[in-house]
Amino acid sequence: MDLPLSPGDRLTARYGRHLPRVPQPDSTAWNATVDALLAHRSVRKWLDRPVDEDQLLTVTAAAQSAPTSSNKQVVSVIAVEDADLRRQLARVGGRMSSHVENAPVVLVWLIDFSHGRFLAQREQAHPSDVAGGHGTAGRVPTDLGALDYIDEPMMAVLDIGIAAQNAAVAAESLGLGTVFLGSLRNDIDEVRRILDIPEHVVPFVGLELGHPDPTENAGVKPRLPMELFLHRNRYNRREDAAGAAERSRLLGSYDDVLGTYYSRYGSHPRWSHQLLNRLTSTATEKSKRRLLRDVLRRAGFGLR
């Protein structure tokens, strides 16, 4: 049985280098939850073993326990357990997504304002009055005018991220593995067709759940140096010559660290080159992600 890693070992794995300052195992800055978060890795190879119903319900409850903007609760999720449906979702992801088919469960997270739409239609058909509270005394409003503004779908996407990460942390605490699937946005309308999702509901991201195959050659992927991530009190612009040199040094160091990590899989492009390639118009235009604005407009969002 493997011994648990120390905080120093966990942080070394996460950043690919020894850090000058690390918490001690008995520190108030370290516990089992933090340890689990730093141990996260993406899993794409699964054992042929189902996620049981209690595990799925626990993960779902953890997701619903996440904060939600103004308690609007405009996120829902489809647990896709059917093998044929997973096979079709894998095709949306393309040639690198065969693991979707083999995952016991794929959670598909949705921008879902359907409850608000239903309540507005009900109020229009059967008006009721309100007396004070957080709203205005009088008739209950039903115009849904907030959906004309880009803040609403952006807020829903933020809530999806928070809820889905809660689900991932809960799943990993139960011994399950996870990997997120932005690939579902390659063709949102096809995902709608596969899962019978109405046009006003938008599937946005997936999350695979399952029991990790211990033979998978995957580890903890190093992240950018904390110096490039953590700003204190003000944004560190690094616009002068010294700042630009520091940024260049830190990014070069990260290219080397990630190159060492990827060496176990053979050759791999430098992170800096990969980032620039993924920020090109070509990277977006090769799939139907370029149509996201149209998808959101057809779902009833004005994007003003």
Side-chain angles (χ1 to χ4, degrees):
M1 180 177 179
D2 294 335
L3 295 174
L5 296 183
S6 70
D9 290 338
R10 284 285 188 221
L11 288 162
T12 296
R14 179 52 70 197
Y15 291 101
R17 60 189 175 101
H18 293 288
L19 300 185
R21 177 174 179 149
V22 298
Q24 296 304 306
D26 59 353
S27 167
T28 57
W30 199 266
N31 57 35
T33 301
V34 174
D35 188 79
L37 287 168
L38 268 76
H40 165 77
R41 66 181 180 91
S42 294
V43 176
R44 296 177 177 86
K45 190 173 181 181
W46 306 102
L47 295 176
D48 185 15
R49 178 181 167 191
V51 172
D52 69 46
E53 184 69 8
D54 285 346
Q55 289 173 320
L56 179 58
L57 295 179
T58 296
V59 168
T60 302
Q64 283 196 278
S65 298
T68 171
S69 180
S70 301
N71 200 32
K72 292 177 183 176
Q73 302 187 69
V74 292
V75 171
S76 62
V77 65
I78 300 174
V80 183
E81 299 166 282
D82 180 84
D84 182 60
L85 295 178
R86 296 198 317 269
R87 191 173 302 114
Q88 294 180 62
L89 291 177
R91 288 200 290 268
V92 173
R95 62 185 180 88
M96 300 296 289
S97 296
S98 59
H99 51 88
V100 176
E101 179 179 343
N102 299 319
V105 180
V106 178
L107 299 179
V108 177
W109 301 88
L110 312 169
I111 301 173
D112 187 357
F113 285 78
S114 62
H115 301 313
R117 296 179 188 280
F118 171 81
L119 291 171
Q121 292 172 356
R122 191 182 69 179
E123 284 296 328
Q124 290 167 359
H126 306 285
S128 60
D129 295 325
V130 295
H134 289 293
T136 302
R139 288 290 173 86
V140 177
T142 61
D143 62 53
L144 302 182
L147 301 188
D148 290 339
Y149 295 90
I150 195 171
D151 183 62
E152 290 301 309
M154 287 183 66
M155 175 271 298
V157 167
L158 175 61
D159 276 10
I160 282 176
I162 299 169
Q165 180 62 12
N166 256 32
V169 173
E172 291 175 17
S173 77
L174 299 175
L176 301 173
T178 67
V179 64
F180 280 96
L181 300 171
S183 58
L184 296 188
R185 294 195 302 284
N186 287 357
D187 193 338
I188 287 175
D189 284 331
E190 178 63 5
V191 174
R192 279 198 180 118
R193 184 198 66 76
I194 294 167
L195 302 180
D196 194 27
I197 300 169
E199 191 169 57
H200 63 264
V201 175
V202 181
F204 199 80
V205 72
L207 177 66
E208 293 179 36
L209 300 180
H211 296 274
D213 186 332
T215 67
E216 183 179 18
N217 183 25
V220 173
K221 188 181 295 181
R223 293 296 193 248
L224 281 167
M226 194 181 292
E227 298 95 317
L228 293 175
F229 180 81
L230 175 63
H231 303 258
R232 294 183 182 269
N233 298 316
R234 293 179 177 81
Y235 189 84
N236 186 351
R237 297 181 179 222
R238 293 188 174 87
E239 292 176 338
D240 59 8
E246 180 192 32
R247 189 198 298 262
S248 183
R249 176 182 63 79
L250 290 168
L251 291 174
S253 173
Y254 182 63
D255 271 335
D256 293 340
V257 163
L258 204 58
T260 299
Y261 169 82
Y262 278 127
S263 65
R264 73 180 73 184
Y265 312 114
S267 62
H268 197 277
R270 291 176 71 79
W271 177 83
S272 55
H273 297 168
Q274 188 178 55
L275 175 64
L276 292 176
N277 278 317
R278 287 175 170 172
L279 292 177
T280 63
S281 57
T282 302
T284 298
E285 290 167 0
K286 69 182 181 182
S287 75
K288 293 186 178 181
R289 296 188 190 203
R290 69 189 187 280
L291 305 176
L292 181 57
R293 179 187 293 270
D294 177 61
V295 167
L296 290 171
R297 288 194 185 280
R298 286 189 283 114
F301 300 105
L303 307 181
R304 290 166 57 185

